[in-house]
Amino acid sequence: MTDEKNRKGVVNLKEKAALLTELWSPRVVGEVDDSYVKIAKIKGEFTWHDHQEDEFFLVLDGQLDIHMQDHTVRLNAGEFYVVPKGVMHNPKASEECVVLLFEKKTTAHTGNVQEDMTRDLSEQLRPL
Amino acid sequence: MTDEKNRKGVVNLKEKAALLTELWSPRVVGEVDDSYVKIAKIKGEFTWHDHQEDEFFLVLDGQLDIHMQDHTVRLNAGEFYVVPKGVMHNPKASEECVVLLFEKKTTAHTGNVQEDMTRDLSEQLRPL
């Protein structure tokens, strides 16, 4: 067995994150049935939106505040939170932060809001 | 906003992993639509099996070898691999290793094999 074979299909999250050059631009790094695994580098404030699906946020590096209408959760590296479907939310990070997302393939980036920050699935699917 | 509110629903993976006392006994720590997020502590060899669904393995701590019939992949901490549905596999870890799994709720622990190592969903759903 060669080293190359040993690594085929293996995704190193730190290596992938280092390739992210755009903020708030999730990139697909894996596919699990009808869901995508994505990573994104974020800083500042996103936009208020909701989804028809649950959304899983795992902080890989940095700190993330997920603002919801009635409360806010703060996530440090190694912590996750699932925003339930239909719940308006707005992620914010005062410093650069890397997150792993687990989302249905049908999940729209900014829900039914179309904004400058919206990245459609074809943009998210560009190989890193 | 109190600290308590800030933390509701937040899952710290290291804290949860520290509560795992049984090897090869995945525990559900999150729910995302029709999938579960699970963590498991493993050491040694599991058993050959496959699933009708894809299975996402992310190594949180340690090193994992996923043996498949024609090759093996080695995962270090911070690396993930998706075993495609229908692919026979057998996870092995020479030292203690903690993994995060992302699986459909329908995924059977050891596929259509029922063994001493099999943990049914009710066992996996016991709160940590």
Side-chain angles (χ1 to χ4, degrees):
Chain A
M1 181 188 329
T2 65
D3 281 348
E4 192 189 344
K5 277 189 186 167
N6 252 332
R7 303 296 298 168
K8 195 183 169 200
V10 174
V11 177
N12 181 299
L13 290 169
K14 271 199 182 154
E15 287 174 15
K16 285 291 183 192
L19 302 173
L20 292 168
T21 53
E22 306 159 284
L23 296 175
W24 300 109
S25 183
R27 302 291 278 270
V28 173
V29 291
E31 184 177 357
V32 188
D33 296 308
D34 57 351
S35 296
Y36 282 128
V37 184
K38 304 176 182 179
I39 55 170
K41 188 176 281 181
I42 65 183
K43 186 180 179 183
E45 178 176 349
F46 194 48
T47 183
W48 284 96
H49 66 287
D50 67 349
H51 305 287
Q52 293 175 23
E53 306 85 357
D54 296 339
E55 187 173 26
F56 171 92
F57 290 84
L58 168 63
V59 173
L60 299 176
D61 192 34
Q63 188 176 71
L64 171 69
D65 288 335
I66 304 178
H67 291 257
M68 288 164 281
Q69 283 170 314
D70 57 349
H71 70 301
T72 297
V73 293
R74 170 159 290 183
L75 301 180
N76 297 300
E79 295 182 334
F80 79 77
Y81 185 82
V82 180
V83 177
K85 56 177 73 61
V87 170
M88 291 292 290
H89 57 286
N90 190 1
K92 298 184 190 180
S94 55
E95 301 297 331
E96 204 166 86
C97 169
V98 178
V99 293
L100 180 146
L101 305 168
F102 207 96
E103 299 178 343
K104 288 281 189 192
K105 292 179 181 175
T106 50
T107 299
H109 188 210
T110 49
N112 56 7
V113 183
Q114 189 73 17
E115 301 209 4
D116 287 349
M117 294 180 96
T118 306
R119 296 288 172 268
D120 65 27
L121 197 52
S122 67
E123 291 174 286
Q124 297 180 35
L125 282 165
R126 288 173 293 157
L128 270 176
Chain B
M1 184 188 325
T2 66
D3 280 350
E4 192 189 344
K5 276 189 186 167
N6 252 334
R7 303 296 296 169
K8 195 181 169 201
V10 174
V11 177
N12 182 298
L13 291 169
K14 270 198 181 155
E15 287 175 12
K16 285 290 183 193
L19 302 173
L20 292 168
T21 53
E22 306 160 282
L23 294 176
W24 300 109
S25 183
R27 302 290 278 270
V28 172
V29 291
E31 184 176 357
V32 188
D33 295 309
D34 56 351
S35 296
Y36 283 128
V37 184
K38 303 175 182 179
I39 56 170
K41 188 175 280 181
I42 64 182
K43 185 180 178 181
E45 178 176 350
F46 194 50
T47 183
W48 283 96
H49 66 287
D50 67 348
H51 305 287
Q52 294 175 25
E53 307 85 359
D54 296 339
E55 188 173 26
F56 171 92
F57 290 83
L58 168 64
V59 173
L60 299 176
D61 192 34
Q63 189 175 70
L64 171 69
D65 287 335
I66 302 178
H67 290 257
M68 288 164 281
Q69 283 171 315
D70 58 350
H71 70 301
T72 296
V73 293
R74 170 159 290 186
L75 301 181
N76 297 300
E79 295 182 334
F80 77 80
Y81 184 81
V82 180
V83 177
K85 55 178 73 61
V87 170
M88 291 292 288
H89 58 286
N90 191 2
K92 298 184 190 181
S94 55
E95 301 297 331
E96 204 167 87
C97 169
V98 178
V99 293
L100 180 146
L101 306 167
F102 207 97
E103 299 178 344
K104 289 279 190 193
K105 292 179 180 176
T106 50
T107 299
H109 189 209
T110 51
N112 56 6
V113 183
Q114 189 73 16
E115 301 210 2
D116 288 348
M117 294 181 98
T118 305
R119 296 287 173 266
D120 64 28
L121 197 52
S122 66
E123 292 174 286
Q124 297 180 34
L125 281 166
R126 287 172 295 155
L128 270 178

